[in-house]
Amino acid sequence: MSPNPPHDGAPGPEAGEAPAFAPRMRLLRRRSGLSLEASARRAGLSPAHLSRLETGKRQPSLPLLLTLARVYGTTVGELLGETTTAADAIVRGDEIPTVDAGGWHYRQAGQAGRAMQALQVHVPRGPQRDLVRVHPGEEWIHVRRGALRLTLGQVTETLAAGDSAHFDSLTPHRLEAVSADGADLLFVHTLLQSPTAELCVTGSAGAAAPGGTPRH
């Protein structure tokens, strides 16, 4: 039996600068809000082995690159440092459909397959019951129109048009529109590593909580 685990990869260079993929792996892991231990667990590696990949002491195999790309919500090309063209980076507003999920309306504002997801969101007026979200990563919210009630842990704040919030998603949080006609937001978050990761732009399974409340 080989002493190396599956997707182990080949030994890296023993001297010189680390290959370009090494610091990008660390950057994308941190950008996705995952610790070394959590990333290694999801990829089926030991933390020590993932650390060696991030320092260039091991070369990743293609299966391992595919696995890490899924874990970090990105592409193999981005892991390897490939850059997108201007056309790939542009999202045309008149080409993006609106997705409805339990009264919430979502429009994609960034490219899919990135470690961060950008959305235009309409939050309707109405209670969210006891729905509270907790997940790894960060979120940034900017209110474009209306007023939004944001609860972070035990603190509740009302955000008016022009106000923003940037917080750790491990803090229990919930959103509720205060305005009679709802609130419009710009919303950026690191992708969730779960079956509901794409709910905001697909309206797929898990997009609504009991009672029809969308799982933000």
Side-chain angles (χ1 to χ4, degrees), residues 98-140:
T98 298
V99 176
D100 178 80
W104 289 48
H105 302 291
Y106 301 95
R107 297 188 72 223
Q108 188 173 332
Q111 293 290 350
R114 303 298 186 185
M116 294 189 297
Q117 186 171 29
L119 304 166
Q120 299 179 56
V121 182
H122 173 75
V123 183
R125 176 73 181 270
Q128 286 203 44
R129 300 185 179 182
D130 295 325
L131 179 64
V132 176
R133 293 292 291 160
V134 179
H135 54 84
E138 295 184 12
E139 296 187 17
W140 177 81

Side-chain angles (χ1 to χ4, degrees), residues 35-197:
S35 67
L36 185 73
E37 291 75 14
S39 297
R41 183 169 59 253
R42 295 184 184 193
L45 303 171
S46 69
H49 181 65
L50 182 56
S51 177
R52 287 193 290 270
L53 288 169
E54 290 187 354
T55 55
K57 296 178 181 177
R58 301 290 294 184
Q59 295 279 356
S61 63
L62 178 58
L64 180 52
L65 285 171
L66 292 169
T67 297
L68 289 173
R70 287 193 295 269
V71 169
Y72 299 153
T74 186
T75 64
V76 170
E78 189 173 18
L79 277 173
L80 295 176
E82 294 179 2
T83 58
T84 59
T85 65
D88 292 331
I90 302 301
V91 178
R92 300 294 181 186
D94 58 356
E95 299 175 358
I96 301 299
T98 298
V99 176
D100 178 80
W104 289 48
H105 302 291
Y106 301 95
R107 297 188 72 223
Q108 188 173 332
Q111 293 290 350
R114 303 298 186 185
M116 294 189 297
Q117 186 171 29
L119 304 166
Q120 299 179 56
V121 182
H122 173 75
V123 183
R125 176 73 181 270
Q128 286 203 44
R129 300 185 179 182
D130 295 325
L131 179 64
V132 176
R133 293 292 291 160
V134 179
H135 54 84
E138 295 184 12
E139 296 187 17
W140 177 81
I141 296 169
H142 177 76
V143 181
R144 300 174 60 197
R145 186 190 61 83
L148 183 78
R149 182 176 294 118
L150 170 65
T151 299
L152 291 172
Q154 302 301 314
V155 178
T156 298
E157 298 281 354
T158 298
L159 281 63
D163 292 343
S164 301
H166 188 176
F167 54 92
D168 188 330
S169 302
L170 287 175
T171 303
H173 54 281
R174 62 197 299 262
L175 307 178
E176 182 180 356
V178 177
S179 306
D181 56 351
D184 293 332
L185 317 175
L186 290 177
F187 179 65
V188 178
H189 69 97
T190 51
L191 290 173
L192 314 186
Q193 307 304 326
S194 72
T196 61

Side-chain angles (χ1 to χ4, degrees), residues 20-44:
F21 71 80
R24 289 197 61 77
M25 282 189 174
R26 183 184 297 109
L27 173 65
L28 292 172
R29 171 176 62 78
R30 291 175 175 172
R31 196 169 76 178
S32 66
L34 294 171
S35 67
L36 185 73
E37 291 75 14
S39 297
R41 183 169 59 253
R42 295 184 184 193

